[in-house]
Coordinates of all heavy atoms in Angstrom, one line a residue:
A1 N 61.2 147.2 101.1 CA 61.7 146.8 99.8 C 60.6 146.6 98.8 O 60.8 147.0 97.6 CB 62.5 145.6 100.0
I2 N 59.5 146.1 99.3 CA 58.4 145.9 98.4 C 57.6 147.2 98.0 O 57.3 147.5 96.9 CB 57.4 144.8 99.0 CG1 58.1 143.5 99.1 CG2 56.1 144.7 98.1 CD1 57.3 142.4 99.8
A3 N 57.3 147.9 99.1 CA 56.5 149.1 98.9 C 57.2 150.2 98.2 O 56.7 150.8 97.3 CB 56.0 149.6 100.3
F4 N 58.5 150.4 98.6 CA 59.2 151.6 98.0 C 59.8 151.2 96.7 O 60.3 152.1 96.0 CB 60.3 152.0 99.0 CG 59.8 152.7 100.2 CD1 59.6 152.1 101.4 CD2 59.5 154.1 100.1 CE1 59.1 152.8 102.5 CE2 59.0 154.8 101.2 CZ 58.8 154.1 102.4
K5 N 59.7 150.0 96.3 CA 60.1 149.6 94.9 C 59.2 150.4 93.9 O 59.6 151.1 93.0 CB 59.9 148.1 94.7 CG 60.2 147.7 93.2 CD 60.1 146.2 93.1 CE 58.7 145.7 93.4 NZ 57.7 146.1 92.3
D6 N 57.8 150.4 94.2 CA 56.9 151.1 93.3 C 57.1 152.6 93.5 O 57.0 153.4 92.6 CB 55.5 150.7 93.6 CG 55.2 149.3 93.2 OD1 55.9 148.8 92.3 OD2 54.2 148.7 93.6
L7 N 57.4 153.0 94.8 CA 57.5 154.5 95.0 C 58.7 155.0 94.3 O 58.7 156.1 93.7 CB 57.7 154.7 96.5 CG 57.6 156.1 97.0 CD1 56.3 156.8 96.7 CD2 57.9 156.2 98.5
L8 N 59.8 154.3 94.3 CA 61.0 154.7 93.7 C 60.9 154.7 92.1 O 61.3 155.6 91.4 CB 62.2 153.9 94.1 CG 62.7 154.0 95.5 CD1 63.8 153.0 95.8 CD2 63.2 155.4 95.8
A9 N 60.1 153.7 91.7 CA 59.8 153.6 90.3 C 59.0 154.8 89.8 O 59.2 155.3 88.7 CB 59.2 152.3 89.9
A10 N 58.0 155.1 90.7 CA 57.1 156.3 90.3 C 57.9 157.6 90.3 O 57.7 158.4 89.4 CB 56.0 156.4 91.3
A11 N 58.9 157.7 91.3 CA 59.7 158.9 91.3 C 60.6 159.0 90.1 O 60.8 160.1 89.5 CB 60.5 158.9 92.6
A12 N 61.2 157.9 89.7 CA 62.1 157.9 88.5 C 61.3 158.3 87.3 O 61.7 159.1 86.4 CB 62.7 156.5 88.4
A13 N 60.1 157.7 87.1 CA 59.2 158.0 86.0 C 58.8 159.4 86.0 O 58.7 160.1 85.0 CB 58.0 157.1 86.0
G14 N 58.5 159.9 87.3 CA 58.1 161.3 87.4 C 59.2 162.3 87.0 O 58.9 163.3 86.4
I15 N 60.4 162.0 87.3 CA 61.5 162.9 86.9 C 61.6 162.9 85.3 O 61.8 164.0 84.7 CB 62.9 162.3 87.4 CG1 62.9 162.5 89.0 CG2 64.1 163.1 86.8 CD1 64.1 161.9 89.6
Y16 N 61.4 161.8 84.7 CA 61.4 161.7 83.2 C 60.3 162.6 82.7 O 60.5 163.4 81.7 CB 61.3 160.3 82.8 CG 61.1 160.1 81.3 CD1 62.1 160.1 80.4 CD2 59.8 160.0 80.8 CE1 61.9 160.0 79.0 CE2 59.6 159.8 79.4 CZ 60.6 159.8 78.6 OH 60.4 159.7 77.2
L17 N 59.1 162.4 83.2 CA 57.9 163.1 82.7 C 58.0 164.6 82.9 O 57.6 165.4 82.1 CB 56.6 162.6 83.4 CG 56.3 161.1 83.1 CD1 55.1 160.7 83.9 CD2 56.0 160.9 81.6
I18 N 58.6 165.0 84.1 CA 58.6 166.5 84.4 C 59.7 167.1 83.5 O 59.4 168.2 83.0 CB 59.0 166.7 85.9 CG1 57.8 166.2 86.7 CG2 59.4 168.1 86.1 CD1 58.1 166.2 88.2
F19 N 60.8 166.5 83.2 CA 61.9 167.1 82.5 C 61.6 167.0 80.9 O 61.8 168.0 80.2 CB 63.2 166.5 82.8 CG 63.8 167.1 84.1 CD1 63.6 166.4 85.3 CD2 64.5 168.3 84.1 CE1 64.1 166.9 86.5 CE2 65.0 168.8 85.3 CZ 64.8 168.1 86.5
L20 N 61.2 165.9 80.5 CA 61.0 165.7 79.0 C 59.6 166.1 78.6 O 59.4 166.4 77.4 CB 61.3 164.3 78.6 CG 62.7 163.8 78.9 CD1 62.9 162.4 78.3 CD2 63.7 164.7 78.2
Q21 N 58.6 166.1 79.5 CA 57.3 166.6 79.2 C 56.7 166.0 77.9 O 56.4 166.7 77.0 CB 57.3 168.1 79.1 CG 57.6 168.8 80.4 CD 57.5 170.3 80.4 OE1 57.4 170.9 79.3 NE2 57.5 171.0 81.5
P22 N 56.4 164.7 77.9 CA 55.7 164.1 76.7 C 54.3 164.6 76.7 O 53.7 164.5 75.6 CB 55.8 162.6 77.0 CG 56.0 162.5 78.5 CD 56.8 163.7 78.9
Y23 N 53.8 165.1 77.8 CA 52.5 165.7 77.8 C 52.5 166.8 78.9 O 53.3 166.7 79.8 CB 51.3 164.7 78.1 CG 51.5 163.9 79.3 CD1 51.2 164.4 80.6 CD2 52.1 162.6 79.2 CE1 51.4 163.6 81.7 CE2 52.2 161.8 80.4 CZ 51.9 162.3 81.6 OH 52.1 161.6 82.7
T24 N 51.7 167.8 78.8 CA 51.6 168.9 79.8 C 50.2 169.1 80.2 O 49.3 168.5 79.7 CB 52.2 170.2 79.1 OG1 51.4 170.6 78.0 CG2 53.6 170.1 78.7
I25 N 50.1 170.0 81.2 CA 48.7 170.4 81.7 C 47.9 170.9 80.6 O 48.3 171.8 79.8 CB 48.8 171.4 82.8 CG1 49.6 170.8 84.0 CG2 47.5 171.9 83.3 CD1 49.9 171.7 85.1

């Protein structure tokens, strides 16, 4: 619950960054 809280938060943020692309490579 503690460890995967950050992991799930990172995944949710990653989905946002990949689809909306506020920055790119």
Side-chain angles (χ1 to χ4, degrees):
I2 296 174
F4 286 99
K5 175 176 67 66
D6 289 340
L7 189 63
L8 292 175
I15 293 173
Y16 171 84
L17 294 174
I18 290 172
F19 280 96
L20 297 184
Q21 295 185 346
Y23 54 82
T24 60
I25 295 174

